[in-house]
Amino acid sequence: MAPQRAVQLSLKKPTYAVCVVGVETYVDVYSDVPKGSVTFGISGSSGVEIFMVYDPARVTKPTGKTHWPLGAGVDVIVSVDTASKDLNDLKVKVSYFGQQEGGALGQSVLYLTGVDISLDVDMGRAGKVKKSQGDKKSWRWGPEGYGAVLLVNCDRDSLRSKGLDLTNTQLTSLDDLQDMSPMVLSCDGPDELFDNHKLILNVPFSDSKRVGVFCARGGNSLSDYKQVLGPQHLSYEVERQLGERKIGFYVEGFTFPDADFLGLVSLSVSLVDTKTLPEVPLFTDTVTFRVAPWIMTPNTQPPLELYVCSVVDLHGSNEKFLKDMSDLALKANCKLIICPRIENRNDRWIQDEMEFGYIEAPHKSFPVVFDSPRNRGLKDFPYKRILGPDFGYVTREIPFVGASGLDSFGNLDVSPPVTVDGKEYPLGRILIGSSFPKSGGRRMAKVVRDFLKAQQVQAPVELYSDWLSVGHVDEFLSFVPTSDQKGFRLLLASPSACLKLFQEKKEEGYGEAAQFDGLNHQVKRSINEMLADRRLRSNNLHAQKCIDWNREVLKRELGLTERDIVDIPQLFSLTGSYAKAFFPDMVNMVVLGKYLGIPKPFGPIINGRCCLEEKVRSLLEPLGLHCIFIDDYLSYHELLGEIHCGTNVRRKPFPFKWWHMVL
């Protein structure tokens, strides 16, 4: 029940009041009482519910011809369960009696008009609006939770529109309505009542820049819909037509949760009596929405589209690499999208430019690309080529200063679903590289970190990546799907595993087998030479310590054990105090289901096979994975990147509904 309002009675003339369905009205039977009255009786017409509130220890419920005592703390509450057909068609009569038997000393009459005013949304998260008299102001997480969901209307459904749909105050496409959350205003009652009462829809000032509302008038023309609430309109007087019982609205989100926005917005409707000055709100109904978070998808989700750039450099075009990506996508039954040079302006690092995710409400879901603040050759590609119908766009710009290398999205990853000390993360946890544990250094921009944290459903973990020259987490980790109970493995680059492998091969008599065999433009290094290189060993001891620090953080924050981690042999070299991959970095792979596109390491050839490739196959193929080694040496590795850096994958959303999370 909504909060009570009070009505005072009079012995001299009838009292008239509006009673909203579902709202209790307190009837003041004590304000005007005949002299000598000690008891009272009350009756109501059909359609009026009368409730007596009293203390049973002080008052005995009347029977027969007895009445309720005055002055014993007996209160009268009335309510109606349906809207009236006519004005004042419901009646409540109060009769007052003295100590002597006989007729009533006086009577008060209350005429009621029942009106059904209710603002309703998809509280039950079933994809449709149902009328509710529950707690609409609250929003609860969890499988037993409730509360409506709002999508940020960040796609562009009409090609005529120049920006995101949320920037339009006029509807540009009827399809855009599907991206909005429906809201229904019930306004049933006698038409005459609305001659001196009005309905006002309101948005709080603090929410007005975060939500917009369109009024629907049921036609199929764009002109049938107009924006009635938003940054320029904090209130709207509802234009109710004669006989109209329900009015439809569509609600859109303008902004994602962020450091200054928890994600909750509210809208309310008030029934206002215009006969009084100042005008008095008789009743207000409020609903609350939560803006859907932006959600990343991990490597364990099935791939839908593989993106790669066509580029030309001193070594020529990357046509062979594109062919290898095409073959890989075909095996994985994944669509390949090649970004042409005219659109990428010879910027091949498409993973660094953007990250694919999605937003979801019970009635609708669509992908949303997060455009990084790096702003290099590919800076226009997400907005100009990916933004479109049912494909949204979001970005965060860094104020005052430029982006660092750690602001590129090769430094942004997400784990598969995990459980940590009993706490479930059914959508995984976001991983970002930082300067921890050292003081100072590079760190992902605060505006990006704040945005990721504010989404709430994939609580971020900061790792140490500033030991690397480029500084991205994808240089030392990756996740791959498995068909066992765990469902995935964490792959970590491992200098110690590589040196151990090379030592084993030396002891087997293959010390003269050479790294970079088959590359004409690279000096070959035998296993013996690499093992004897003190500087290389020192560099990799440092790299291993940095990776081990991250290993412990990942085990702690993702609830992993050593059984969940696979060490992939890899060496690094240092320039100054920063590391880069000594040979193509195999964990920097693209994962398309069970097919892995792995940078070809050009390791020592033993018995006609690369010993590094063979080692990786022995580690991953028993897990049901297919290792496909692809030459990226000239086009990517020599430019301090690998396959993952030069590709991007849009993946299938999680089946789990984010609002079922328990936070």
Side-chain angles (χ1 to χ4, degrees):
M1 284 282 187
Q4 296 176 0
R5 51 184 295 261
V7 175
Q8 289 188 336
L9 299 183
S10 170
L11 293 170
K12 300 179 180 64
K13 60 181 180 179
T15 301
Y16 298 89
V18 174
C19 196
V20 178
V21 172
V23 178
E24 294 179 342
T25 299
Y26 170 74
V27 180
D28 184 358
V29 297
Y30 300 98
S31 57
D32 192 5
V33 179
K35 187 176 181 179
S37 297
V38 294
T39 62
F40 72 95
I42 187 168
S43 62
S45 59
S46 175
V48 178
E49 296 275 353
I50 300 175
F51 307 94
M52 308 302 292
V53 182
Y54 60 95
D55 180 1
R58 296 179 58 198
V59 176
T60 301
K61 184 178 180 179
T63 58
K65 294 184 178 181
T66 61
H67 305 292
W68 293 98
L70 286 165
V74 179
D75 289 330
V76 178
I77 306 294
V78 299
S79 70
V80 300
D81 53 12
T82 58
S84 294
K85 301 297 183 184
D86 300 296
L87 281 177
N88 310 318
D89 62 353
L90 301 172
K91 181 179 178 181
V92 174
K93 185 172 72 172
V94 178
S95 302
Y96 297 93
F97 301 92
Q99 288 185 338
Q100 304 298 324
E101 289 188 14
L105 300 179
Q107 291 182 337
S108 295
V109 177
L110 170 64
Y111 288 101
L112 296 173
T113 302
V115 59
D116 187 0
I117 304 297
S118 180
L119 196 59
D120 292 290
V121 291
D122 182 16
M123 285 276 294
R125 303 167 186 164
K128 57 184 179 180
V129 176
K130 290 184 68 175
K131 193 169 182 181
S132 170
Q133 291 185 352
D135 183 9
K136 304 179 193 179
K137 291 183 179 180
S138 299
W139 200 98
R140 296 286 175 86
W141 293 88
E144 304 302 320
Y146 55 83
V149 175
L150 197 60
L151 295 176
V152 176
N153 196 8
C154 59
D155 67 339
R156 183 165 57 198
D157 284 313
S158 172
L159 298 179
R160 295 174 297 173
S161 180
K162 293 182 179 180
L164 308 186
D165 285 342
L166 60 85
T167 63
N168 299 323
T169 57
Q170 300 289 328
L171 201 66
T172 58
S173 169
L174 291 176
D175 292 336
D176 196 25
L177 296 173
Q178 303 306 312
D179 302 335
M180 304 184 196
S181 296
M183 180 172 71
V184 176
L185 170 61
S186 298
C187 50
D188 190 10
D191 288 333
E192 296 86 350
L193 176 77
F194 295 96
D195 292 340
N196 47 36
H197 292 79
K198 61 184 179 182
L199 293 165
I200 303 293
L201 202 63
N202 291 282
V203 58
F205 176 75
S206 59
D207 291 343
S208 62
K209 62 182 179 182
R210 295 166 177 150
V211 65
V213 179
F214 280 84
C215 184
R217 281 308 185 186
N220 292 319
S221 170
L222 295 177
S223 60
D224 291 321
Y225 300 85
K226 68 175 183 177
Q227 191 181 73
V228 295
L229 292 182
Q232 307 302 320
H233 306 284
L234 302 184
S235 65
Y236 165 66
E237 183 175 342
V238 177
E239 299 171 0
R240 180 185 181 275
Q241 307 297 321
L242 291 177
E244 197 166 26
R245 297 181 178 181
K246 293 184 184 296
I247 300 174
F249 296 89
Y250 290 87
V251 188
E252 61 179 341
F254 290 160
T255 58
F256 283 94
D258 216 319
D260 61 349
F261 175 40
L262 294 177
L264 294 174
V265 295
S266 64
L267 300 170
S268 61
V269 67
S270 296
L271 178 66
V272 178
D273 186 348
T274 60
K275 298 191 304 296
T276 61
L277 288 176
E279 296 177 346
V280 177
L282 301 180
F283 167 75
T284 298
D285 202 15
T286 302
V287 295
T288 296
F289 293 87
R290 182 176 291 279
V291 176
W294 179 78
I295 301 172
M296 287 180 66
T297 50
N299 285 351
T300 48
Q301 287 301 109
L304 299 173
E305 296 172 338
L306 172 64
Y307 288 74
V308 64
C309 292
S310 172
V311 294
V312 176
D313 54 32
L314 294 176
H315 303 291
S317 77
N318 65 339
E319 185 176 347
K320 175 62 169 62
F321 182 79
L322 297 179
K323 175 65 167 59
D324 291 338
M325 288 295 105
S326 178
D327 293 343
L328 181 67
L330 188 62
K331 285 185 174 67
N333 193 29
C334 176
K335 181 181 179 182
L336 177 68
I337 297 175
I338 296 177
C339 173
R341 187 181 176 194
I342 193 173
E343 294 179 1
N344 65 53
R345 294 184 287 184
N346 229 33
D347 178 5
R348 70 200 68 206
W349 309 117
I350 197 165
Q351 176 61 50
D352 289 341
E353 181 59 40
M354 61 189 189
E355 184 67 50
F356 288 113
Y358 69 95
I359 57 176
E360 183 176 22
H363 68 282
K364 182 71 180 283
S365 174
F366 59 79
V368 176
V369 62
F370 187 7
D371 190 1
S372 84
R374 73 188 278 267
N375 290 343
R376 288 166 62 179
L378 277 159
K379 69 176 184 177
D380 295 328
F381 180 72
Y383 187 83
K384 289 186 175 180
R385 303 301 298 174
I386 294 180
L387 170 64
D390 286 345
F391 211 129
Y393 173 93
V394 64
T395 191
R396 287 294 180 270
E397 295 294 338
I398 304 173
F400 310 122
V401 297
S404 78
L406 271 65
D407 296 316
S408 297
F409 285 172
N411 195 33
L412 173 63
D413 208 333
V414 65
S415 79
V418 292
T419 300
V420 185
D421 294 331
K423 179 174 177 55
E424 295 183 355
Y425 295 91
L427 301 173
R429 299 191 70 177
I430 285 173
L431 307 175
I432 58 176
S434 187
S435 58
F436 298 142
K438 70 180 184 182
S439 60
R442 298 169 295 172
R443 196 179 184 192
M444 182 177 279
K446 187 175 185 298
V447 290
V448 178
R449 288 185 282 116
D450 286 347
F451 172 83
L452 296 171
K453 181 181 179 181
Q455 307 313 304
Q456 297 193 70
V457 295
Q458 295 177 306
V461 177
E462 286 199 58
L463 300 173
Y464 177 36
S465 67
D466 195 29
W467 61 278
L468 290 153
S469 178
V470 175
H472 295 175
V473 294
D474 67 355
E475 297 177 75
F476 64 86
L477 69 79
S478 185
F479 294 93
V480 293
T482 61
S483 56
D484 58 8
Q485 185 175 3
K486 185 66 180 180
F488 71 90
R489 294 292 187 277
L490 166 63
L491 308 186
L492 287 179
S494 177
S496 61
C498 189
L499 291 172
K500 180 183 177 183
L501 174 65
F502 284 173
Q503 184 65 38
E504 290 173 355
K505 297 307 175 185
K506 176 184 178 179
E507 293 172 0
E508 292 170 8
Y510 300 109
E512 292 304 314
Q515 181 68 40
F516 306 120
D517 197 359
L519 283 174
N520 297 327
H521 37 73
Q522 178 66 41
V523 177
K524 297 174 178 55
R525 301 285 303 276
S526 72
I527 290 177
N528 288 337
E529 289 174 335
M530 290 186 290
L531 291 175
D533 187 334
R534 291 185 178 181
R535 182 176 180 182
L536 185 62
R537 278 185 170 273
S538 175
N539 288 349
N540 281 281
L541 179 62
H542 169 73
Q544 188 64 60
K545 287 181 178 179
C546 296
I547 294 170
D548 286 345
W549 192 90
N550 286 304
R551 186 189 201 95
E552 294 308 309
V553 173
L554 289 161
K555 287 166 64 176
R556 181 177 68 248
E557 298 295 336
L558 300 184
L560 304 180
T561 67
E562 284 296 324
R563 294 190 303 273
D564 305 322
I565 302 173
V566 178
D567 290 306
I568 301 298
Q570 185 64 46
L571 293 183
F572 295 87
S573 61
L574 264 62
T575 301
S577 59
Y578 292 101
K580 64 180 181 180
F582 179 67
F583 54 78
D585 189 350
M586 290 186 286
V587 296
N588 196 286
M589 64 179 71
V590 63
V591 179
L592 301 180
K594 62 183 179 180
Y595 296 95
L596 311 180
I598 305 174
K600 185 176 180 62
F602 292 98
I605 303 298
I606 297 174
N607 296 325
R609 294 179 178 274
C610 169
C611 68
L612 290 171
E613 291 186 17
E614 289 302 293
K615 180 62 176 179
V616 171
R617 290 186 196 278
S618 72
L619 293 169
L620 300 182
E621 290 187 349
L623 299 174
L625 300 166
H626 297 273
C627 300
I628 300 164
F629 292 91
I630 295 170
D631 181 2
D632 74 342
Y633 199 92
L634 293 178
S635 295
Y636 295 89
H637 173 72
E638 282 203 337
L639 300 174
L640 302 184
E642 308 288 358
I643 292 177
H644 185 262
C645 308
T647 58
N648 211 314
V649 183
R650 183 170 75 86
R651 301 181 183 277
K652 190 174 180 180
F654 285 101
F656 180 86
K657 306 304 181 186
W658 62 264
W659 50 86
H660 286 166
M661 282 192 67
V662 178
L663 297 182

